[in-house]
């Protein structure tokens, strides 16, 4: 089977042996980039019921070849044919650990046992046997708390757990005690007597003498493929090292000579994987993932408690920190009609009618009383210049109010004379106000409260004179609100967007973390090789996260609407349905982010970036009616915008599910759920490393 010194094209007389082989690789070509060609027209034949030792230096393509055999990755061209037809008959030990280090030895074995369709009794019996054979610590030990060599043996136990017909082992004896390594080889050779076929890679060339057949691999091709004794006899060498060295020199010599350029045609459609599982969903594999999550949650009780209590902390701090009007704001006062400053107002109060002016009438004191009722803290200044200077040099004083020297006399004339009042009376009866608008929210609130204080002050002086207080009001009357939510505040507006965003992002973060962690650690890869479908992972994760999310949502609603009494006047069932759909959106968006991220950093940036965007446009920071007109055109098409408006309409206006605003909220949620699910499906179909991180 040698062609020019190396294993090459399959000969016609080998067709029968290929058909009988346990593994047959033909004309395999694989590259990661045009210059990084890993497998070069490689041919390999593994006979049934044998141990095949695959030897070669690091980077020669051994792991890539094994990955193609187990169906981890596609060849670019060529074929891989296996005698087995079900993934359940394949055992695979990868080069990396690919175990849940947060779980115990038994829990890892139980997870993969359920993936393979084993029952609890069979898993326990096999676990006891393998732990004894591989000299493993007690099964209740966490994998993270045992040595690296013991972790490798746990990984080996997983591959042997379900008694597979074809066993693929990537360097299983690295770092093992020589006695234990010898026992493992004896076990492997014994397995071949019962019809098992084993492919094993190893760094220890002499160890490979135990194999029935050896493939010497270098530079993406097999230099030779024979039994150990035949190799040493054919090349007149006393050791396999000498054979490998001689073949390597021969390869180097041939490569140094002019060679015809080999052209490999990349297939338009990748060759099919050697094992295709047509089943869509199996309960045992779903159960494996769900039980794994229960194991992890039991192991990480503090983290689970943190997830459940996080909404409590966020809801409390949200209500304590956001939406209530600022208090004790400092207002500068320059009152020229008071000879002894503001203490003069405290010494006497003036409640007699403004129609009858006397020298002791100080109406500015009544005005200041109304300002203090608005929770302003009054700071006295000697003159306007010093007051303005204080506002410019300090971020603590928000306005300056000036009363003219003859303010009360002028205001009395204005009240008595009406439209006949002189210009001087009109001028001196006016209060001058300067407001700091560097902070728009506080500045406008200060202007609002000064306006209402002025109105209350005017109403009070007319009431003292026995007139209707409406004489001191604008000619407009605000009647009972159509939709009354009590005392209005920004917190009432923002609370709806807050609970929608929380319902979306808590599940998003959790689902992204679960999938991305398993992807980065290679656990999804190994599970898929064992037969797991991503649909089973997604459903199990969604169900588990759904339980956690329901607890989070209940806590958030109790805090927002029960403890802090944010407005909630509508139907509870409709509100819960809107929030539930927001959570479903979050779960699948988190899965989509994880599938499209190759590092934890990428996943974090995508999650945080989307959070900021949706926070800005969903109506939490500011009403969507005030958005730029271009943003207004597209904002309804973003997730959470219409559901937020729908929930606000239900909780504040008592609109039902048949109202167009509420209907649009549900429609938006259903559409975005569908978009995220389709995005997950397309990513799995077309993105090569959606489930695998190539290292």
């Amino acid at each position: 089977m040698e062609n020019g010194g190396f294993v090459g094209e399959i000969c016609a007389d080998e067709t029968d042996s290929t058909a009988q082989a346990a593994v047959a690789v033909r004309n395999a070509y694989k590259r990661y980039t045009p210059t990084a060609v890993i497998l070069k027209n490689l041919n390999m034949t593994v006979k049934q019921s044998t141990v095949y030792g695959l030897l070669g230096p690091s980077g020669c393509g051994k792991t890539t070849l094994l990955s193609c055999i187990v169906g981890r990755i596609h060849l670019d061209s060529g074929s891989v044919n296996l005698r087995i037809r079900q993934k359940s008959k394949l055992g695979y030990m990868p080069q990396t650990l690919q175990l849940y280090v947060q779980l115990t030895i038994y829990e890892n074995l139980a997870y993969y046992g359920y993936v393979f369709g084993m029952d609890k009794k069979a898993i326990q019996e096999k676990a006891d046997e393998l732990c004894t054979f591989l000299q493993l610590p007690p099964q209740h030990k966490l994998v993270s708390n045992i040595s690296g060599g013991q972790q490798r043996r746990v990984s080996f136990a997983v591959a042997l757990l379900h008694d597979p017909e074809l066993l693929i082992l990537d360097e299983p004896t690295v770092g093992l005690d020589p006695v234990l390594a010898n026992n493992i080889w004896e076990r492997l050779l014994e397995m071949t007597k019962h019809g098992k076929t084993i492919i094993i890679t190893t760094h220890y060339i002499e160890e490979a003498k135990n194999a029935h057949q050896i493939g010497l691999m270098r530079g993406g091709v097999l230099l030779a493929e024979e039994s150990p004794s035949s190799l040493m006899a054919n090349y007149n060498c006393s050791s396999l090292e000498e054979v490998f060295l001689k073949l390597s020199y021969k390869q180097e010599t041939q490569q140094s000579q002019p060679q015809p350029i080999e052209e490999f045609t990349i297939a338009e459609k990748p060759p099919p994987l050697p094992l295709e599982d047509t089943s869509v969903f199996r309960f045992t594999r779903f159960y494996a993932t769900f039980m794994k999550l229960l194991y992890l949650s039991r192991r990480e009780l503090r983290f689970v408690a943190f997830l459940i209590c996080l909404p409590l902390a966020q809801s409390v701090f949200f209500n304590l920190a956001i939406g209530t009007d600022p208090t004790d704001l400092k207002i500068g006062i320059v009152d020229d009609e008071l000879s002894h400053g503001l203490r003069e107002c405290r010494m006497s109060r003036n409640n007699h009618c403004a129609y009858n002016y006397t020298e002791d009438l100080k109406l500015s004191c009544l005005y200041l009383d109304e300002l203090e009722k608005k929770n302003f803290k009054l700071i006295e200044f000697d003159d306007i210049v010093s007051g303005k200077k204080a506002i410019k040099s300090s971020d603590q004083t928000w306005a300056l109010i000036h009363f003219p020297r003859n303010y009360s006399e002028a205001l009395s004339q204005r009240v008595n004379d009406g439209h006949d009042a002189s210009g001087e009376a009109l001028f001196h009866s006016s209060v001058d106000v300067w407001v700091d608008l560097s902070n728009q929210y506080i500045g406008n609130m200060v202007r609002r409260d000064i306006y209402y204080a002025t109105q209350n002050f005017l109403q009070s002086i007319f009431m003292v004179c026995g007139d209707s207080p409406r004489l001191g009001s604008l000619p407009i009357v605000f009647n009972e609100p159509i939709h009354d939510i009590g005392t209005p505040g920004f917190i009432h507006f923002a609370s709806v967007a807050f609970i929608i965003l929380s319902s979306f992002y808590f599940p998003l973060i959790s689902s992204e973390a679960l999938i991305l962690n398993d992807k980065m650690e290679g656990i999804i890869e190994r599970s898929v090789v064992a037969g797991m479908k991503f649909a089973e992972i997604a459903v199990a994760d969604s169900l588990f996260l759904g339980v956690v999310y329901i607890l989070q949502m209940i806590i958030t609603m109790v805090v927002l609407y029960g403890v802090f009494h944010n407005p909630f006047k509508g139907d509870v069932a409709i509100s819960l349905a809107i929030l539930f759909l927001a959570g479903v959106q979050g779960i699948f968006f988190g899965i989509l982010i994880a599938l499209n991220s190759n590092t934890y950093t990428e996943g974090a940036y995508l999650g945080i970036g989307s959070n900021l965007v949706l926070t800005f446009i969903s109506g939490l920071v500011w009403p969507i009616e005030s958005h730029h007109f271009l943003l207004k055109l597209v904002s309804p098409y973003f997730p959470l915008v219409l559901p937020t408006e729908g929930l606000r309409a239900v909780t504040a206006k008592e609109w039902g599910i048949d109202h167009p605003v509420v209907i649009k909220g549900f429609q938006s949620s259903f559409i975005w759920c569908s978009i995220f699910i389709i995005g997950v499906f397309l990513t799995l179909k077309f993105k090569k490393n959606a489930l695998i991180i190539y290292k």
Side-chain angles (χ1 to χ4, degrees):
M1 218 172 119
E2 198 176 326
N3 181 14
F6 310 116
V7 176
E9 297 291 339
I10 185 169
C11 303
D13 59 358
E14 292 179 331
T15 304
D16 292 338
S17 63
T18 299
Q20 299 300 318
V23 178
V25 181
R26 295 292 173 259
N27 306 321
Y29 179 76
K30 179 63 183 178
R31 72 180 188 185
Y32 293 118
T33 67
T35 57
V37 181
I38 309 302
L39 303 179
K40 304 173 183 177
N41 204 34
L42 183 142
N43 292 292
M44 174 186 184
T45 303
V46 181
K47 298 176 183 177
Q48 179 69 25
S49 303
T50 62
V51 176
Y52 186 103
L54 185 61
L55 307 180
S58 297
C60 71
K62 301 190 303 296
T63 297
T64 297
L65 176 59
L66 295 187
S67 297
C68 293
I69 292 173
V70 301
R72 173 178 175 259
I73 56 178
H74 282 273
L75 288 171
D76 291 322
S77 64
S79 63
V80 177
N81 296 297
L82 305 181
R83 187 163 185 167
I84 62 172
R85 290 291 177 265
Q86 292 87 33
K87 287 189 175 184
S88 59
K89 296 183 178 181
L90 171 68
Y92 174 52
M93 177 185 176
Q95 191 176 46
T96 54
L97 189 61
Q98 297 184 353
L99 296 174
Y100 286 102
V101 296
Q102 307 98 323
L103 299 183
T104 65
I105 295 172
Y106 172 77
E107 288 167 347
N108 272 279
L109 293 174
Y111 167 71
Y112 283 103
Y114 290 131
V115 172
F116 294 131
M118 301 171 65
D119 58 35
K120 186 176 182 179
K121 181 180 179 182
I123 292 171
Q124 186 64 69
E125 291 176 353
K126 198 67 176 178
D128 293 340
E129 175 198 341
L130 291 173
C131 287
T132 301
F133 166 64
L134 294 172
Q135 301 175 18
L136 290 172
Q139 296 178 31
H140 66 270
K141 285 277 189 180
L142 291 177
V143 173
S144 60
N145 293 338
I146 61 179
S147 68
Q150 291 170 331
Q151 291 176 345
R152 293 284 296 167
R153 278 179 268 161
V154 174
S155 181
F156 185 33
V158 169
L160 295 175
L161 184 65
H162 60 301
D163 195 25
E165 293 186 17
L166 175 61
L167 191 59
I168 310 290
L169 306 173
D170 201 348
E171 300 183 1
T173 59
V174 171
L176 294 187
D177 176 77
V179 175
L180 180 57
N182 183 68
N183 292 339
I184 289 175
W185 272 99
E186 290 180 357
R187 174 73 172 256
L188 297 178
L189 292 171
E190 181 66 26
M191 290 172 63
T192 62
K193 296 178 182 179
H194 297 87
K196 313 298 184 183
T197 303
I198 299 150
I199 301 176
I200 181 172
T201 68
T202 177
H203 281 305
Y204 311 119
I205 296 181
E206 286 303 310
E207 178 185 74
K209 287 182 180 179
N210 296 312
H212 299 102
Q213 190 177 11
I214 288 178
L216 300 177
M217 189 172 182
R218 186 172 183 268
V221 298
L222 283 178
L223 305 180
E225 187 180 62
E226 300 178 46
S227 67
S229 57
S230 297
L231 282 172
M232 290 186 287
N234 292 343
Y235 292 96
N236 194 25
C237 297
S238 60
S239 67
L240 291 175
E241 287 93 338
E242 289 184 47
V243 175
F244 200 10
L245 184 60
K246 183 176 289 189
L247 288 172
S248 297
Y249 276 128
K250 186 175 182 180
Q251 184 190 38
E252 288 291 334
T253 302
Q254 290 186 357
Q255 289 179 348
S256 65
Q257 298 174 357
Q259 299 286 332
I261 298 176
E262 291 184 281
E263 293 187 3
F264 298 98
T265 302
I266 304 297
E268 293 184 5
K269 183 178 181 181
L273 295 174
L275 293 175
E276 293 285 1
D277 189 351
T278 57
S279 64
V280 177
F281 190 94
R282 286 188 179 174
F283 178 78
T284 54
R285 297 191 296 240
F286 157 80
Y287 182 74
T289 302
F290 193 80
M291 289 302 298
K292 174 257 298 183
L293 292 170
L294 291 180
Y295 290 146
L296 287 172
S297 61
R298 185 177 61 185
R299 191 77 55 233
E300 301 289 346
L301 286 177
R302 286 184 297 179
F303 180 71
V304 174
F306 169 77
L307 282 180
I308 294 176
C309 294
L310 179 62
L312 173 63
Q314 289 200 340
S315 301
V316 169
F317 284 114
F318 172 78
N319 280 272
L320 293 177
I322 295 177
T324 57
D325 287 341
T327 58
D328 295 329
L329 296 177
K330 293 181 180 179
I331 299 296
I333 302 296
V334 178
D335 196 336
D336 289 338
E337 80 166 351
L338 299 178
S339 303
H340 303 288
L342 297 185
R343 67 177 182 274
E344 186 175 336
C345 289
R346 299 185 181 95
M347 290 186 297
S348 63
R349 284 291 181 258
N350 298 273
N351 292 317
H352 59 272
C353 181
Y355 294 159
N356 304 314
Y357 171 74
T358 61
E359 290 186 2
D360 63 340
L361 179 64
K362 306 297 181 184
L363 294 179
S364 61
C365 290
L366 297 178
Y367 195 115
L368 295 177
D369 285 344
E370 294 296 335
L371 289 175
E372 288 183 327
K373 291 177 183 177
K374 297 296 182 183
N375 291 317
F376 286 129
K377 187 174 182 180
L378 307 183
I379 307 297
E380 187 174 11
F381 292 98
D382 294 332
D383 53 55
I384 295 175
V385 174
S386 60
K388 288 184 177 180
K389 184 178 179 180
I391 295 177
K392 290 181 179 180
S393 62
S394 172
D395 61 352
Q396 300 298 317
T397 305
W398 293 97
L400 178 66
I401 299 178
H402 171 245
F403 295 91
R405 183 175 302 277
N406 54 347
Y407 173 71
S408 295
E409 181 181 1
L411 185 58
S412 293
Q413 292 179 13
R414 184 172 185 167
V415 171
N416 284 310
D417 297 343
H419 65 276
D420 294 327
S422 66
E424 183 178 1
L426 294 176
F427 179 79
H428 289 289
S429 63
S430 298
V431 177
D432 294 314
V433 180
W434 295 269
V435 179
D436 179 3
L437 289 178
S438 60
N439 185 314
Q440 283 286 323
Y441 181 79
I442 294 181
N444 287 325
M445 193 210 72
V446 168
R447 290 203 297 188
R448 178 201 68 189
D449 286 350
I450 290 176
Y451 164 78
Y452 283 121
T454 303
Q455 180 172 269
N456 292 340
F457 160 68
L458 293 175
Q459 288 178 343
S460 67
I461 63 175
F462 281 108
M463 287 181 64
V464 171
C465 296
D467 292 327
S468 171
R470 289 198 176 188
L471 286 173
S473 303
L474 289 175
I476 184 172
V477 177
F478 288 98
N479 294 306
E480 183 179 345
I482 295 175
H483 295 291
D484 185 10
I485 59 172
T487 304
F490 182 74
I491 186 67
H492 296 153
F493 171 83
S495 61
V496 173
F498 170 79
I499 194 171
I500 284 280
L501 284 166
S502 300
S503 300
F504 182 78
Y505 273 100
F506 290 147
L508 182 153
I509 294 169
S510 302
S511 63
E512 179 187 354
L514 284 176
I515 299 297
L516 192 55
N517 180 73
D518 287 2
K519 177 180 174 180
M520 295 295 296
E521 297 300 323
I523 297 171
I524 288 183
E525 172 194 335
R526 188 168 189 176
S527 300
V528 170
V529 170
M532 181 76 76
K533 294 291 186 180
F534 187 75
E536 295 152 351
I537 297 175
V539 171
D541 285 354
S542 300
L543 182 60
F544 178 81
L545 292 175
V547 175
V548 176
Y549 164 63
I550 289 173
L551 293 175
Q552 291 176 328
M553 185 169 59
I554 291 174
I555 291 172
T556 304
M557 293 192 70
V558 168
V559 172
L560 285 179
Y561 301 116
V563 176
F564 288 96
H565 304 292
N566 287 286
F568 193 102
K569 303 181 68 175
D571 190 283
V572 175
I574 298 175
S575 302
L576 291 176
I578 295 174
L579 295 175
F580 176 78
L581 288 175
V584 174
Q585 287 186 67
I587 288 175
F588 284 101
F589 187 41
I591 294 174
L592 185 61
I593 289 176
L595 293 179
N596 284 281
S597 301
N598 294 325
T599 64
Y600 292 113
T601 303
E602 285 183 27
Y605 280 144
L606 288 172
I608 294 172
S610 61
N611 183 15
L612 291 174
V613 171
L614 292 182
T615 298
F616 292 149
I617 67 174
S618 66
L620 172 60
V621 175
W622 212 247
I624 61 174
E625 288 81 4
S626 62
H627 289 173
H628 189 278
F629 77 95
L630 291 177
L631 182 58
K632 282 184 181 180
L633 297 177
V634 298
S635 61
Y637 302 104
F638 279 80
L640 307 186
V641 175
L642 294 180
T644 300
E645 292 300 304
L647 183 60
R648 188 172 285 127
V650 173
T651 58
K653 300 181 179 181
E654 299 184 81
W655 288 349
I657 197 171
D658 57 342
H659 194 280
V661 173
V662 181
I663 291 173
K664 288 180 180 178
F666 278 103
Q667 289 175 338
S668 175
S669 295
F670 281 119
I671 290 172
W672 276 105
C673 284
S674 302
I675 290 174
F676 292 142
I677 292 172
I678 293 171
V680 169
F681 174 79
L682 294 177
T683 301
L684 291 171
K685 185 174 181 62
F686 296 108
K687 193 173 189 293
K688 291 183 178 180
N689 60 338
L691 298 176
I692 299 171
I693 300 294
Y694 295 109
K695 299 180 179 179

